[in-house]
Amino acid sequence: MKTHKAAQFFSCALTLILLSLTACQTTKISMNDYQPVAILTIYSNRSVPWHVNTETSKTSSSYDVEQTDDGVLTGLLNRALDQNDPETTLAKERINKAAALFTNSIKDAGIESISRENLQSSNSYVTGVKNFLSYMDSKMAADGYEVVSSSSNKLNKMMAKETGAQIMLYVSFRFEKQKVMDGVHEVGAQARVDLTVYGAGQDGKTLINKTYTALSPEYTAYKNNKYDREELCSYFDSTIQNAIDQFIMDLTDPVTKAENQEEEEFITISIPGPIFSED
């Protein structure tokens, strides 16, 4: 009897601890309460690799590991071999379109942002962002941005103080292709977009840390390891917008959402750990 009660007590205590930890890892904000925003970086991978289920293929949750397709030499070799491959040749066009869709969606949602000119002319950007550049050959920034894959408390505080930004956003896209299955048969290849948004407040603390995933409803036929690469690439625009729409819906004013959709509930963001490192 005592053993049974002890087991019950241990079970209840463990449950309370887990709930406490979960509560500490969850935050809820509205982007409307954090204006203007400063978009410090928008970048992506250069190629379009096949999607690999990281949960089953590896246990690492490192942001750098999951965002890196290949090393410098491997990347150069692959691009030399695939000079006519639209998945590679359209890389800059793809990230530029993604950046335009992201910034336009922010604007359309009524979120004020610091202009690129004002942001990049600030002393904190010139002396701070440049010092934190994380160059990797497999990453490509949109025009007007730099690849910044690490967040720094000091930099975020400096940017906020000088520009008046309420939140600093680090935006990265990962473009992949994913096989479509019909039972055990591989019948198609569809576009996949992972949009990761990290946001730090004026005090440098994490406010947003989440990845949004979208798959194209269309797919190109896949047979004998062959598929139409141009057709696959044509699916990215709408898939990018889908992922961005998820982000906007997730972090816009819950009152506005309630007016448009009465039964819509404000979505919380679970933060298991920082995606971007914070120095």
Side-chain angles (χ1 to χ4, degrees), residues 112-127:
E112 180 187 356
S113 61
I114 306 293
S115 70
R116 294 301 303 160
E117 293 76 14
N118 290 340
L119 193 64
Q120 293 182 340
S121 63
S122 65
N123 291 330
S124 51
Y125 185 93
V126 173
T127 61

Side-chain angles (χ1 to χ4, degrees), residues 13-29:
L14 181 60
T15 300
L16 289 174
I17 292 173
L18 291 175
L19 288 174
S20 176
L21 289 174
T22 302
C24 292
Q25 293 173 335
T26 301
T27 188
K28 181 171 65 176
I29 73 167

Side-chain angles (χ1 to χ4, degrees), residues 154-169:
K154 181 179 179 180
L155 172 61
N156 292 329
K157 291 177 182 178
M158 288 171 54
M159 293 295 301
K161 183 177 181 180
E162 186 174 354
T163 67
Q166 297 289 308
I167 185 171
M168 276 50 66
L169 296 182

Side-chain angles (χ1 to χ4, degrees), residues 237-257:
D237 284 1
S238 59
T239 311
I240 291 168
Q241 187 65 64
N242 186 330
I244 295 172
D245 288 344
Q246 292 179 48
F247 164 71
I248 296 296
M249 286 293 292
D250 200 5
L251 295 173
T252 47
D253 194 334
V255 175
T256 302
K257 289 170 66 178

